[in-house]
Amino acid sequence: MSKRIAVLTGGGDCPGLNPAIRGCVMRGLDEGFEFVGLQEGWRGFVEGKTQPLGLAEVKEIVGKGGTILGTSRTNPFKKEGAVDKCLATFKSLKLDALVAMGGEDTLGVAARFHKEHKLPVVGVPKTMDNDLSATDYTFGFDTATTIAVDAVERLRDTGRSHRRIMVLEVMGRHAGWVALFTAIASAADWVLLPERKSDIKAMCAHLKKVHDRDKVALVVTSEAVELPGAKKEGEQLDQFGHMLLKNRGVGEQVAELIEKGTGIETRSAVIGHIQRGGSPTLFDRILGTRVGAKAAELVAAGKFGQMVALRGNDVVGVSLEEATAKLKIVPPQWLQLADTFFK
């Protein structure tokens, strides 16, 4: 009897989700699986919102950004009665397994469903933040960082024309991987990360030296950095207990601190959700495809409660619970490498 598998994508979208969906479905078809898409992440599981998910739907989506299934930041474990509705959806759709694609929050929910309700779940890691500790890289990160590097290089041109210091704010809630890789790959002059305390005095002294020499200086900052004297009034939390970062204005605050500390005209730019959209890079197309296909293989083997991980050049199954237990933050050796290039 053919197995019926549901697929959902949760949390922030990123390039590579559609290749992952495609990889899962097309590999699953080899096993005789039938697929159904759950719309808008865990919200679709709660409300039973579905859409067809067969060869016709996935054949040509490898180069498309976003997710054809839609997404949300819904947490069923934070809404009264939502977990029971999810279990009822699983039963009413006559499902044999669920493939959940997402980051720490989405996969944390998947891990709870498996542990607490024995739901046959397989996880696929997705986050442009690259902050899941069980896998070397997550799809979405390469595309997001490539876009950010292009933005820095454009800011350098206009900054030099106006003899300004330029600040680019990039995404990254808990970990500074996007900011770090962007800064190194674009030859930026300073980077601010949530992993270390912001030394505004040292930054300003360095930027003034660089600007005097090059007529331009560039700073990349993560949206989640803590700045001295920053205001926290009115900050809101999402359903996973995370602070909503959209109103913090970190880039603008950094620019003000730099202008005050150097006396040099400084401008900021926020790349924001531009990093999330658009066609995925080759790396993210291949990685998304591989981990999606591996998820179908784990379902076929009955290896539930696992997440697909990239280890070296291999994609393997690891414990979903362990994979979501802690975040992968930027370690000291990477910080030292970045500092090498700030001259």
Side-chain angles (χ1 to χ4, degrees):
M1 184 177 178
S2 174
K3 289 186 177 180
R4 186 169 166 83
I5 316 300
V7 179
L8 67 80
T9 56
D13 67 304
C14 71
L17 273 170
N18 283 328
I21 295 168
R22 177 177 178 268
C24 183
V25 171
M26 295 191 78
R27 181 65 184 89
L29 292 176
D30 292 343
E31 302 290 339
F33 294 167
E34 177 187 354
F35 287 89
V36 59
L38 291 170
Q39 296 181 350
E40 301 167 18
W42 293 115
R43 181 189 297 159
F45 203 25
V46 174
E47 300 176 2
K49 296 170 64 175
T50 66
Q51 68 183 68
L53 195 61
L55 180 61
E57 286 75 29
V58 305
K59 188 174 184 297
E60 297 182 359
I61 64 173
V62 70
K64 296 184 181 296
T67 164
I68 62 169
L69 297 178
T71 187
S72 70
R73 297 190 185 277
T74 302
N75 184 352
F77 289 93
K78 291 294 184 179
K79 290 188 173 185
E80 186 176 353
V83 170
D84 290 336
K85 289 181 180 179
C86 288
L87 298 176
T89 296
F90 191 89
K91 186 175 181 180
S92 66
L93 292 177
K94 299 179 180 179
L95 298 176
D96 295 288
L98 170 67
V99 175
M101 301 182 178
E104 52 160 333
D105 297 326
T106 300
L107 298 185
V109 170
R112 286 192 66 177
F113 269 120
H114 178 72
K115 183 178 181 180
E116 298 176 17
H117 301 280
K118 308 303 179 186
L119 216 62
V121 176
V122 168
V124 172
K126 170 263 3 159
T127 169
M128 55 165 285
D129 292 342
N130 197 41
D131 59 1
L132 287 173
S133 61
T135 186
D136 291 348
Y137 284 96
T138 53
F139 62 78
F141 173 69
D142 186 73
T143 306
T145 308
T146 298
I147 293 169
V149 168
D150 179 70
V152 174
E153 292 175 344
R154 292 171 186 271
L155 288 177
R156 177 182 285 110
D157 293 340
T158 186
R160 181 177 286 113
S161 298
H162 291 271
R163 308 299 197 249
R164 290 171 176 161
I165 296 174
M166 307 298 290
V167 177
L168 179 67
E169 176 189 324
V170 300
M171 287 185 166
R173 178 176 295 280
H174 301 296
W177 291 106
V178 174
L180 177 77
F181 274 46
T182 299
I184 294 175
S186 65
D189 302 297
W190 202 265
V191 65
L192 295 172
L193 307 172
E195 285 86 351
R196 74 173 166 189
K197 186 177 179 180
S198 301
D199 190 337
I200 303 301
K201 185 176 180 180
M203 176 180 67
C204 288
H206 178 70
L207 293 176
K208 192 172 190 313
K209 180 186 75 171
V210 171
H211 187 272
D212 289 344
R213 181 189 68 209
D214 301 336
K215 308 305 181 187
V216 65
L218 293 153
V219 176
V220 178
T221 179
S222 168
E223 63 182 344
V225 297
E226 293 295 332
L227 298 172
K231 297 179 180 180
K232 294 186 177 182
E233 293 86 359
E235 290 182 345
Q236 296 177 304
L237 303 180
D238 65 16
Q239 290 185 17
F240 292 93
H242 299 314
M243 180 176 61
L244 297 176
L245 302 176
K246 62 180 180 179
N247 296 322
R248 296 189 76 215
V250 165
E252 187 175 346
Q253 291 183 58
V254 170
E256 291 174 358
L257 289 169
I258 292 172
E259 188 161 322
K260 182 178 179 181
T262 64
I264 300 169
E265 187 177 11
T266 305
R267 294 287 185 271
S268 66
V270 183
I271 193 169
H273 289 79
I274 293 172
Q275 289 179 278
R276 292 196 180 278
S279 182
T281 59
L282 170 65
F283 182 88
D284 282 340
R285 293 187 193 202
I286 297 300
L287 179 56
T289 298
R290 291 183 72 195
V291 295
K294 183 64 176 181
E297 292 174 4
L298 291 176
V299 171
K303 295 182 177 179
F304 301 114
Q306 292 200 358
M307 182 194 85
V308 183
L310 177 68
R311 298 283 180 84
N313 196 38
D314 297 322
V315 286
V316 299
V318 299
S319 166
L320 186 56
E321 186 176 8
E322 292 178 13
T324 56
K326 67 176 182 178
L327 291 175
K328 178 177 67 181
I329 61 174
V330 176
Q333 58 266 33
W334 272 104
L335 300 175
Q336 292 167 9
L337 178 64
D339 290 342
T340 299
F341 303 104
F342 299 149
K343 290 182 171 64

